[in-house]
Amino acid sequence: MSTTTTAALARTAEPQAMLRRFLALDAAVTGANALAYLALSGPLGRFLGAGSRTLLALGAFLAAYAVAVALLAARRRPPALGVRAVVEANLAWAAVSVAALALWLTPTPAGAVWTVLQALVVAGFALLQHLALRQRQATAD
């Protein structure tokens, strides 16, 4: 992905702002997902083919993760180590989602599609955050 494309997605060419925006977007999407799982675990569980307890647990985990990413995004200059941890956590989430779908989940067709789509979105966040961090580091040299 080119610098121009990444800047267009972030609506800024300034690497620091770009990184913070991608982190904030990740936190917002993750937080919305967490709230949906927590508030609608029963109906969503039936629709996706997942247990409501599983969705409640995932919702609680995602809420905590969203807060952590939001706190990182709120920093004037998010530390590289923290950003790398978010990138790696996002990549791990995407990989485990696909593995779970292949190995042990038995979702509804909608649940299978949801699992793949959310894995792609999370992997996309990881890529954008990685590229923005790399651009920030390149401009700091």
Side-chain angles (χ1 to χ4, degrees):
M1 186 175 287
S2 73
T3 302
T4 305
T5 304
T6 309
L9 288 171
R11 297 182 179 220
T12 181
E14 202 278 305
Q16 185 62 33
M18 190 182 312
L19 179 58
R20 292 180 67 215
R21 286 181 184 177
F22 290 141
L23 288 167
L25 181 61
D26 185 353
V29 170
T30 301
N33 199 25
L35 290 176
Y37 285 176
L38 290 169
L40 302 168
S41 63
L44 277 177
R46 288 187 293 280
F47 180 69
L48 299 174
S52 63
R53 285 186 180 172
T54 300
L55 290 184
L56 285 171
L58 285 173
F61 171 79
L62 290 174
Y65 183 75
V67 168
V69 176
L71 289 172
L72 193 62
R75 298 200 48 185
R76 189 177 60 74
R77 184 172 172 82
L81 184 61
V83 175
R84 281 191 209 101
V86 168
V87 168
E88 289 174 14
N90 282 345
L91 290 174
W93 180 273
V96 169
S97 294
V98 173
L101 185 59
L103 299 174
W104 67 82
L105 292 179
T106 54
T108 63
V113 169
W114 174 253
T115 301
V116 171
L117 288 178
Q118 63 84 31
L120 290 172
V121 168
V122 171
F125 283 143
L127 175 63
L128 291 170
Q129 292 157 352
H130 170 74
L131 292 173
L133 178 62
R134 203 167 76 190
Q135 286 176 327
R136 182 182 83 177
Q137 291 170 330
T139 60
D141 294 337

